[in-house]
Amino acid sequence: MKRLLIITIVSFIMFGILTACGAQTYNVDYSGQKVCYQNAQDSYEANEKVTLYFPMIATDTDYTFTLDGESLNYDYDDSKGFIIEFIMPEHDVTLECITTNSMEYYAE
């Protein structure tokens, strides 16, 4: 009985050490638009390459994607839509899609 108790305690300690050594993850705030991104996860490990797809594209709209207020470059694929990639920094981030109607006249 004593041996079983010791084995159980050691197992719990080892489990705690192993789970505590997991990589640190950081959250992505999708500005309320998470459903618009395919492959979107709530968090990623620092320095992980994040690839998201944004298929909800209107032909009369210009799109700008920002990560913490800085513009992101993106590519386009006919079957997947916009492809947004970035390396996850060591802090929580905010990803935003800013849209502008490209068919509207703006007076100077």
Side-chain angles (χ1 to χ4, degrees), residues 10-12 22 41 47 51 55 61-62 87 90 101 103-105:
V10 170
S11 296
F12 279 120
Q41 298 177 17
N47 300 313
T51 302
T61 305
D62 292 329
I87 303 299
E90 294 183 17
N101 184 341
M103 301 300 283
E104 214 172 280
Y105 174 74

Side-chain angles (χ1 to χ4, degrees), residues 91-105:
H91 57 82
D92 294 344
V93 295
T94 300
L95 178 65
E96 188 173 14
C97 174
I98 302 166
T99 59
T100 307
N101 184 341
S102 61
M103 301 300 283
E104 214 172 280
Y105 174 74

Side-chain angles (χ1 to χ4, degrees), residues 26-72:
Y26 297 96
N27 296 324
V28 177
D29 175 1
Y30 293 94
S31 304
Q33 300 175 329
K34 182 179 177 186
V35 297
C36 297
Y37 298 92
Q38 291 179 348
N39 294 350
Q41 298 177 17
D42 291 329
S43 62
Y44 298 90
E45 293 181 11
N47 300 313
E48 180 178 351
K49 182 178 180 180
V50 178
T51 302
L52 301 169
Y53 303 103
F54 191 90
M56 304 178 76
I57 301 170
T59 56
D60 63 348
T61 305
D62 292 329
Y63 294 85
T64 303
F65 296 94
T66 64
L67 187 69
D68 287 343
E70 299 291 324
S71 275
L72 287 174

